[in-house]
Amino acid sequence: MKKFRKVLDGLTTSSPASAGGSPSCGSAAGTPTAAPTPRELDVHETLMSEHFHICKTVRHGFPYQPTCLTFDPVQKILAIGTRSGGVRILGGPGVDCYSQHESGAAVLQLQFLINEGALVTACADDTLHLWNLRQRRPAILHSLKFNRERITFCHLPFQSKWLYVGTERGNTHIVNVESFILSGYVIMWNKAIELSTKTHPGPVVHLSDSPKDEGKLLIGFESGTIVMWDLRAKRTDFRIYYDEAIHSVSWHHEGRQFMCSHSDGSLSMWNLRNTAKPFQVTFPHGKSQRDGRKESCKPILKVEYKTCRNSEPFVIFSGGLSYDKAGRRPTLTIMHGKAITVLEMDHPIVEFIVLCETPYLNEVQEPYAVVVLLEKDFIVVDLTQSNFPIFENAYPMDIHESPVTCTAYFANCPPDIIPVLYSIGAKHKKTGYSHKEWPVSGGTWTVGSQTYPEIIITGHADGSIKFWDATAITLQMLYKLKTSKVFEKPKGAETGRSAELVEEDPYAVQMVSWCPQSRIFCVVGISAHVILYRFSKHDANTTITSLEVRLQCEMEEVISPSDTENTVCLTDPGGHSPQPQPPSPRSNMPDSARDSIPCLRVKDRMIRMPPGYQAELVVQLLWVDGEPPQQITSLDLNSAYGLLALGNCNGLAVVDYLQKTVILCMSTVELYGAADPFQRLTRSPRKNRQSTSDFCMRGLSNFYSDSKKRIRTSYQSLTELSDNQVSLDLERSKSPTSESRENSFSRSRSSSVSSIDRDTKEAVTTLLFAESYGRKSDALPTPCLWVGTSLGLMLLVPMSIPTDEQERMEEPITVAPTSTVLMLKGSVLRFSFLDCAGCLIQSPYEVWRDGNAPEDPERPRRRKLVNFSPCSSQDAIGDGHLAVVCSERQAKVFLMPSQACLYVHNITESSFVLRADVVAVSNSVCLACFCANGHVMILSLPSLRPLLDVHYLPLTDMRIARTFCFTNGGQALYLSSPTEIQRITYSQEMCDNLQEMLGELFTPTETPEAQNRGFLKGFFGGNAQTFDREELFGEAAAGKASRSLAQHIPGQASVEGMRVAAGGAVGELARARIALDERGQRLGELEERTALMMASAETFSKHAHELMLKCKDKKWYQF
């Protein structure tokens, strides 16, 4: 524990003429002020560098751009591959793991080693990888890079260690999955086809072993050629040449026939007795033409042929629709006997898998569900019910139901808030789901001991808000709120030019502000509106109050610096500034057709609101002289004060939501008064309109999908206020939901705060209500509003708020902006306050009460305020507090009320801070920053010592910039893709405990026994178990493969490096012990079966001998 002491005795302020150094304090006029009272500040800081380490914890949401799917029928876990090289493994509740290939190559195919705790991935860079799933963080054991051929298809038979790999050249190679070494046994394409064939059969699109005989391999080529290859004899059993291209093949479990899907929308059935032609060809969705032939349809990309014991077999396929049905949605067709069911999907089908009761291909399959992977969704269909209902999804796959536009993360929430939100949200859940249990139930997970309530809030493009329970690294939907219900549906003629501003998404959410204690919730929308919600367990019939605010600024923000950038400007206010009268006098202009109207119309009638969050107030900015309102860039609310503050590039407005009035509406220039540190020149109104439009278009060009049009918005000004070195390309800057990889941005900014783009305006970038000292002469803290701007200036706005509840509802609030102005480099991002012991000071709040609950005459409802007016405490009077301020470039700690700068730290010179939060970690507090160059930085408080500086994200884009946020407990999150939320931790303690928090992917499970085939069936039908692949594919028989064909790459979790990846030799020994136990168990089972067979043979021999003795002396006619 380190002790920091700052002696303020004799501390003087910086003169305007001083050349450099960290400032202490100063005045707007540049005259020195009196030094602070000499005193000592003792703060014991407990956080050290060893308390911090950054790592990923868990990823939620739908895998972005999925490519393939596989399922382990014994372990009951599922894996999804993506175009960016990601692998998502899903099981039961809490079993959710994300792994990433370092190459970033797309995953083409996945193959589980069924019930072995391993996974094989085939990537687009022609590399095979073997993943070890017997650890909570999967790691690559081996890799095999093909150098001369491209991988097109893989097949791993059940309980086999030999992987068949088909290539683009038509060859089939064989890989030992234990050693990941290529066998010398190769099936060349020219040996598989007839010598007389003049054309190449094309790439291998299918490989499967016959259910009847594992020594026979069925090879399907793209051109329509099918070959049955005898692995023992190394020759072809039969060849099939079909006119249409093949997409997939599926066997009947008896191994006597198989089904193919083709590019013309047909299904062909083949019998092994006669392979000259198919014995059945069907066009399931084709219409009969005049000549009796069926018309061609769209390709059937995949077909599954599954048998049942007590009913007709299932034939399930995707595609195959008629071409004349243009615009029809993608379909999955289920044929069961004569019944044909077509399930329409909302998105294109990537792949589907039929889940069966048995892992053995030579047994009756008994399918019970179909897992369907869509481009933007994931569903499971129940096959056991005739209407084929879908299962209720156990994973949060609908985060992107509407594109995510903002996020908020709250840790250590009040414990009662999650059950309340869940109970309200459960009433609005959809019905009609299957009543059976979720079939993907593998793995194990237990809630850790160190858990606390966590909530994630996501705002979406359609105006919806979703509350998620994020406790214990899981994610579950709690409650959904639709902000669009507050407004009238826009009609074509009524919207006018307002539609041009917001285009297709007028209700898109820009930011949210939530007070968990009072349960008051505020939403900022793209149409320059703010909606305030209160929570109630009862429904209500009410009218929504609408307030309209006219914010404009008619001064050209061309700035001439009147002082050095490091000067902290303040004056000693002898008198109070006159209270402004909203709206500003300049707003009294004659209204035109597009003047003084909001973008949206609030419902002005009585509305029935269901239990949950109920809208109480809507604040809208108005059009001014034909120009739309500028986007809101900052927001704060305080439930104890009953106030709401909002700001944009035109100014600041403060709303009293208890009295439903606007108490302050001023431009930032008016807030400065005589303390303005810059000289501003007037300009023409038309020029301002153009520059204002450019200002709001800069920074975030579009955060929706490519199908949606671009929307104007601003990202808290901190990404817009740059000099002429801006390298952000608006045409390439895509949205958080864009699929382009060009959504990265970089920017360099001048170190001078005064080097501002001359066409931009000063915006309010952050706001905070707090108990603070508005003036240096104040002896007691009072309610204040701290205002931070894009020029790095901070203004303090003291307020006089009545403490009596009756007076609060009747008396007006007095707001008197002071001439106190403090300065930092770059746009101000965050305010926070510490007491003189270094502890975080919580903002005052009101305890929640249900306004719609029945009145109790004996106990009237009264407002219960917490932390309001702490000046009644004697300790608070004498100590003052510390103000922590962070901007894009630097952080400062001020001592209030003297306003002396105690600590300064320049966070970055070459980049800028995107997000900064003061968070609680390990029973202390620190300042967490995320920079545009991808660095995550942690600074101690109050001394601002660097504790962590890690280059975490190699690429920064606007989606991450808008959604990255820190929270208490050493956690953070961001939108890693348009459909996924990535949670990370920067706490060493949580990194150490992460293994306990994650779920186990592999659980030792006994492989189900194969069904007894019967003596005659096994004797005459062939016995697949007698086929020994080791004799054919091993090095002794097949020799070594060419070294130039493939390169073996040991993985980090290979046998040599297992101790590092799996957590030490103890884990290795434990896994070895498990493997030995499993092997011993199998050997024991084999011994038992051998003993039973020997006993049966002895019994049979005894009975045969007795029968022989009995019949020995009999004549032939005596039988």
Side-chain angles (χ1 to χ4, degrees):
M1 184 163 44
K2 194 171 181 179
K3 182 177 181 182
F4 287 88
R5 178 167 297 188
K6 184 73 177 179
V7 181
L8 303 180
D9 191 10
L11 189 65
T12 58
T13 61
S14 298
S15 171
S18 60
S22 297
S24 171
C25 54
S27 65
T31 58
T33 61
T37 305
R39 60 187 301 280
E40 289 188 351
L41 178 66
D42 295 335
V43 177
H44 296 271
E45 295 189 359
T46 59
L47 292 179
M48 299 296 172
S49 297
E50 52 266 25
H51 288 109
F52 297 95
H53 179 74
I54 192 166
C55 68
K56 296 180 180 179
T57 55
V58 67
R59 181 173 292 204
H60 303 296
F62 179 77
Y64 184 54
Q65 294 180 333
T67 55
C68 52
L69 176 73
T70 190
F71 181 74
D72 187 327
V74 179
Q75 288 290 319
K76 303 289 186 183
I77 59 175
L78 181 141
I80 300 173
T82 68
R83 194 180 301 177
S84 60
V87 177
R88 189 81 169 274
I89 303 174
L90 302 170
V95 181
D96 188 341
C97 178
Y98 174 81
S99 299
Q100 175 71 39
H101 292 90
E102 291 184 1
S103 64
V107 181
L108 300 180
Q109 197 173 354
L110 298 165
Q111 287 279 317
F112 273 116
L113 276 68
I114 295 176
N115 203 28
E116 295 292 335
L119 174 70
V120 175
T121 58
C123 296
D125 59 352
D126 306 310
T127 305
L128 298 173
H129 303 276
L130 177 64
W131 293 81
N132 179 19
L133 305 185
R134 299 197 179 204
Q135 55 193 58
R136 304 195 183 202
R137 290 273 192 177
I140 294 177
L141 288 168
H142 303 281
S143 298
L144 190 65
K145 169 71 174 175
F146 281 75
N147 298 321
R148 297 185 299 185
E149 298 192 51
R150 308 215 63 180
I151 299 172
T152 56
F153 195 87
C154 297
H155 169 62
L156 181 64
F158 179 46
Q159 293 181 327
S160 170
K161 68 175 183 179
W162 297 96
L163 174 71
Y164 302 113
V165 181
T167 67
E168 192 176 34
R169 293 186 180 181
N171 303 325
T172 302
H173 301 275
I174 301 171
V175 178
N176 187 321
V177 294
E178 290 183 352
S179 61
F180 243 53
I181 296 176
L182 204 61
S183 170
Y185 193 112
V186 183
I187 305 174
M188 304 299 292
W189 68 271
N190 53 358
K191 294 182 179 179
I193 65 173
E194 291 180 347
L195 296 176
S196 59
T197 305
K198 297 181 179 180
T199 59
H200 190 278
V204 175
V205 296
H206 177 81
L207 292 168
S208 63
D209 48 341
S210 169
K212 185 178 180 181
D213 184 2
E214 292 182 353
K216 305 292 180 66
L217 182 68
L218 190 72
I219 306 174
F221 297 93
E222 188 180 55
S223 62
T225 301
I226 300 175
V227 173
M228 178 69 86
W229 182 264
D230 190 331
L231 293 169
R232 301 183 190 88
K234 299 183 180 180
R235 61 179 178 81
T236 300
D237 269 9
F238 64 82
R239 300 179 181 92
I240 295 175
Y241 297 96
Y242 198 67
D243 296 336
E244 294 295 333
I246 292 176
H247 286 282
S248 68
V249 180
S250 184
W251 281 95
H252 188 279
H253 79 275
E254 293 180 349
R256 298 176 181 175
Q257 59 188 25
F258 59 87
M259 179 181 291
C260 300
S261 67
H262 301 280
S263 57
D264 62 347
S266 65
L267 296 174
S268 61
M269 290 283 293
W270 300 83
N271 196 307
L272 299 189
R273 293 182 178 179
N274 181 16
T275 58
K277 63 177 182 179
F279 72 87
Q280 183 181 0
V281 177
T282 59
F283 288 82
H285 295 297
K287 296 179 180 178
S288 298
Q289 298 177 341
R290 294 180 179 178
D291 56 0
R293 298 176 59 186
K294 292 290 185 76
E295 64 175 346
S296 294
C297 299
K298 297 177 182 178
I300 296 179
L301 301 179
K302 184 176 181 179
V303 63
E304 291 276 10
Y305 185 24
K306 302 298 180 182
T307 54
C308 304
R309 287 189 182 89
N310 302 321
S311 63
E312 295 290 328
F314 279 91
V315 177
I316 304 172
F317 62 89
S318 60
L321 291 179
S322 175
Y323 279 105
D324 63 350
K325 297 178 181 178
R328 189 170 178 180
R329 294 191 292 181
T331 60
L332 182 77
T333 304
I334 302 175
M335 300 172 62
H336 189 206
K338 295 183 179 180
I340 300 179
T341 303
V342 179
L343 304 179
E344 291 191 343
M345 305 294 170
D346 294 331
H347 308 283
I349 298 174
V350 176
E351 191 174 352
F352 71 89
I353 287 182
V354 180
L355 308 187
C356 301
E357 295 289 351
T358 176
Y360 296 95
L361 297 180
N362 57 359
E363 297 178 359
V364 179
Q365 297 297 287
E366 290 293 340
Y368 60 90
V370 183
V371 177
V372 187
L373 178 64
L374 309 176
E375 280 190 0
K376 295 183 179 180
D377 204 356
F378 172 83
I379 63 172
V380 181
V381 181
D382 186 358
L383 293 179
T384 61
Q385 301 182 42
S386 58
N387 59 339
F388 304 126
I390 65 172
F391 289 86
E392 184 176 5
N393 207 320
Y395 317 116
M397 294 291 186
D398 57 345
I399 292 177
H400 65 290
E401 183 179 15
S402 175
V404 178
T405 55
C406 72
T407 59
Y409 193 6
F410 298 88
N412 270 335
C413 300
D416 60 336
I417 190 68
I418 290 180
V420 168
L421 288 173
Y422 182 79
S423 63
I424 297 295
K427 299 177 182 178
H428 304 285
K429 280 192 174 183
K430 297 179 181 178
T431 57
Y433 293 112
S434 172
H435 298 294
K436 295 199 171 183
E437 293 184 0
W438 179 253
V440 187
S441 57
T444 56
W445 176 76
T446 56
V447 179
S449 57
Q450 299 178 348
T451 58
Y452 43 83
E454 299 175 68
I455 287 180
I456 294 174
I457 300 176
T458 56
H460 300 264
D462 62 354
S464 61
I465 303 287
K466 292 182 180 179
F467 290 78
W468 306 86
D469 178 10
T471 305
I473 73 169
T474 61
L475 195 70
Q476 183 181 7
M477 178 76 161
L478 289 176
Y479 175 71
K480 183 177 180 179
L481 175 67
K482 295 182 179 180
T483 63
S484 59
K485 292 185 176 181
V486 173
F487 303 99
E488 300 282 359
K489 291 184 179 179
K491 298 178 182 178
E494 292 182 359
T495 55
R497 277 193 59 192
S498 63
E500 299 177 9
L501 174 66
V502 295
E503 300 185 358
E504 295 183 8
D505 296 295
Y507 313 112
V509 179
Q510 273 192 291
M511 66 184 76
V512 296
S513 180
W514 186 45
C515 178
Q517 290 79 14
S518 64
R519 302 184 187 177
I520 294 180
F521 185 60
C522 272
V523 180
V524 176
I526 193 74
S527 299
H529 63 268
V530 179
I531 310 174
L532 185 140
Y533 291 88
R534 286 185 182 271
F535 187 84
S536 176
K537 296 181 180 179
H538 307 273
D539 56 0
N541 294 315
T542 183
T543 303
I544 303 172
T545 304
S546 177
L547 292 179
E548 297 177 350
V549 178
R550 187 182 176 97
L551 269 181
Q552 65 172 339
C553 180
E554 294 191 359
M555 291 191 67
E556 175 64 60
E557 300 292 327
V558 175
I559 300 162
S560 301
S562 61
D563 206 343
T564 61
E565 63 178 11
N566 291 329
T567 302
V568 180
C569 307
L570 53 91
T571 59
D572 191 11
H576 297 280
S577 301
Q579 181 179 352
Q581 297 295 327
S584 172
R586 287 194 295 270
S587 64
N588 298 326
M589 296 181 180
D591 292 345
S592 62
R594 300 191 185 100
D595 187 56
S596 299
I597 59 172
C599 294
L600 301 172
R601 278 187 55 193
V602 180
K603 293 180 179 179
D604 55 0
R605 61 184 182 276
M606 188 73 69
I607 303 174
R608 182 192 175 278
M609 297 185 181
Y613 273 103
Q614 301 170 350
E616 179 179 295
L617 176 68
V618 178
V619 181
Q620 290 183 286
L621 302 187
L622 301 176
W623 284 61
V624 178
D625 297 335
E627 288 295 320
Q630 301 303 314
Q631 304 305 313
I632 296 172
T633 56
S634 56
L635 173 77
D636 190 46
L637 69 92
N638 189 283
S639 56
Y641 300 162
L643 298 180
L644 168 69
L646 59 96
N648 64 2
C649 59
N650 281 338
L652 168 71
V654 180
V655 176
D656 182 348
Y657 65 78
L658 296 179
Q659 298 185 20
K660 308 294 190 300
T661 58
V662 179
I663 63 174
L664 180 68
C665 181
M666 300 179 70
S667 68
T668 51
V669 180
E670 292 172 319
L671 287 172
Y672 291 127
D676 191 351
F678 298 107
Q679 296 176 359
R680 307 167 193 265
L681 305 177
T682 58
R683 53 96 191 123
S684 65
R686 178 54 57 188
K687 182 180 178 183
N688 180 53
R689 292 175 187 174
Q690 182 64 36
S691 64
T692 302
S693 176
D694 293 341
F695 172 82
C696 288
M697 284 296 291
R698 188 179 302 151
L700 210 65
S701 60
N702 174 20
F703 49 76
Y704 305 131
S705 60
D706 290 339
S707 62
K708 295 182 179 295
K709 297 183 179 179
R710 301 193 169 190
I711 298 174
R712 299 191 207 177
T713 184
S714 58
Y715 172 55
Q716 295 186 352
S717 301
L718 57 95
T719 57
E720 290 86 21
L721 291 175
S722 59
D723 52 9
N724 294 327
Q725 301 175 10
V726 175
S727 60
L728 175 61
D729 187 353
L730 291 178
E731 294 301 320
R732 296 179 60 186
S733 174
K734 301 296 182 181
S735 67
T737 57
S738 172
E739 298 181 1
S740 173
R741 290 189 178 183
E742 300 176 348
N743 55 1
S744 62
F745 71 95
S746 60
R747 189 180 73 168
S748 62
R749 295 181 53 184
S750 168
S751 61
S752 172
V753 175
S754 301
S755 299
I756 306 297
D757 187 342
R758 293 183 176 272
D759 288 334
T760 64
K761 301 201 302 183
E762 183 177 14
V764 177
T765 56
T766 186
L767 297 164
L768 181 64
F769 289 103
E771 297 282 316
S772 185
Y773 302 87
R775 302 169 184 85
K776 289 179 63 177
S777 58
D778 288 351
L780 300 176
T782 58
C784 292
L785 174 62
W786 283 64
V787 182
T789 74
S790 56
L791 300 186
L793 301 180
M794 295 168 289
L795 301 92
L796 274 69
V797 182
M799 296 170 292
S800 176
I801 302 177
T803 57
D804 181 74
E805 182 173 357
Q806 186 66 27
E807 293 180 358
R808 175 65 185 86
M809 299 302 298
E810 297 175 356
E811 297 294 329
I813 294 178
T814 305
V815 180
T818 67
S819 53
T820 299
V821 179
L822 309 176
M823 182 178 286
L824 277 80
K825 292 181 182 179
S827 177
V828 181
L829 301 181
R830 188 68 59 199
F831 296 123
S832 189
F833 301 97
L834 310 176
D835 60 21
C836 291
C839 299
L840 188 65
I841 299 177
Q842 299 292 340
S843 297
Y845 63 89
E846 176 188 3
V847 178
W848 174 75
R849 55 175 182 166
D850 196 338
N852 297 330
E855 289 280 358
D856 187 355
E858 299 180 357
R859 300 181 60 185
R861 288 198 298 263
R862 297 181 60 86
R863 297 183 70 206
K864 183 180 180 181
L865 308 182
V866 179
N867 295 338
F868 184 56
S869 296
C871 59
S872 59
S873 171
Q874 293 298 321
D875 294 335
I877 296 175
D879 281 348
H881 64 243
L882 304 176
V884 181
V885 187
C886 185
S887 72
E888 290 181 318
R889 291 298 186 85
Q890 66 178 187
K892 288 186 179 182
V893 177
F894 295 95
L895 176 64
M896 305 300 289
S898 66
Q899 301 173 0
C901 181
L902 303 184
Y903 302 99
V904 181
H905 179 75
N906 293 320
I907 300 174
T908 178
E909 293 294 338
S910 59
S911 184
F912 60 100
V913 178
L914 285 171
R915 178 79 184 203
D917 289 290
V918 174
V919 291
V921 180
S922 300
N923 298 320
S924 188
V925 291
C926 61
L927 176 63
C929 303
F930 173 62
C931 299
N933 58 7
H935 281 250
V936 174
M937 306 177 69
I938 306 294
L939 304 177
S940 68
L941 289 177
S943 65
L944 299 178
R945 286 181 301 114
L947 299 176
L948 178 72
D949 186 357
V950 177
H951 186 233
Y952 172 67
L953 286 176
L955 195 83
T956 307
D957 56 37
M958 295 305 298
R959 177 183 63 251
I960 297 175
R962 282 196 63 86
T963 57
F964 198 103
C965 54
F966 296 95
T967 190
N968 297 326
Q971 297 195 76
L973 66 80
Y974 60 93
L975 210 65
S976 59
S977 73
T979 62
E980 296 168 289
I981 290 176
Q982 178 67 59
R983 291 166 68 178
I984 65 174
T985 180
Y986 48 92
S987 166
Q988 181 66 59
E989 181 182 4
M990 189 169 184
C991 289
D992 296 338
N993 298 328
L994 186 59
Q995 290 293 330
E996 300 178 3
M997 300 170 64
L998 298 175
E1000 289 277 4
L1001 299 176
F1002 177 79
T1003 54
T1005 306
E1006 184 178 354
T1007 302
E1009 293 186 5
Q1011 293 179 359
N1012 188 4
R1013 303 179 66 193
F1015 176 76
L1016 294 176
K1017 191 172 184 180
F1019 183 80
F1020 293 105
N1023 191 352
Q1025 301 299 325
T1026 60
F1027 176 61
D1028 189 357
R1029 295 183 177 90
E1030 184 68 31
E1031 293 182 359
L1032 289 175
F1033 307 145
E1035 186 176 336
K1040 293 184 178 181
S1042 173
R1043 293 185 178 180
S1044 61
L1045 182 61
Q1047 176 187 0
H1048 177 260
I1049 305 171
Q1052 292 181 352
S1054 62
V1055 176
E1056 295 80 11
M1058 183 67 77
R1059 287 177 296 178
V1060 178
V1066 176
E1068 175 70 21
L1069 291 174
R1071 270 184 295 280
R1073 189 179 296 112
I1074 292 174
L1076 288 173
D1077 291 342
E1078 292 175 354
R1079 183 173 296 179
Q1081 185 178 2
R1082 292 176 186 172
L1083 290 174
E1085 293 174 356
L1086 182 60
E1087 290 178 358
E1088 292 176 1
R1089 293 177 185 175
T1090 305
L1092 290 174
M1093 291 177 64
M1094 291 179 64
S1096 178
E1098 290 178 0
T1099 304
F1100 179 77
S1101 175
K1102 181 179 178 181
H1103 288 304
H1105 183 69
E1106 292 176 353
L1107 183 63
M1108 184 269 293
L1109 294 176
K1110 183 178 181 180
C1111 301
K1112 181 178 179 180
D1113 298 328
K1114 288 186 178 182
K1115 303 296 181 180
W1116 63 270
Y1117 52 83
Q1118 292 177 324
F1119 287 100

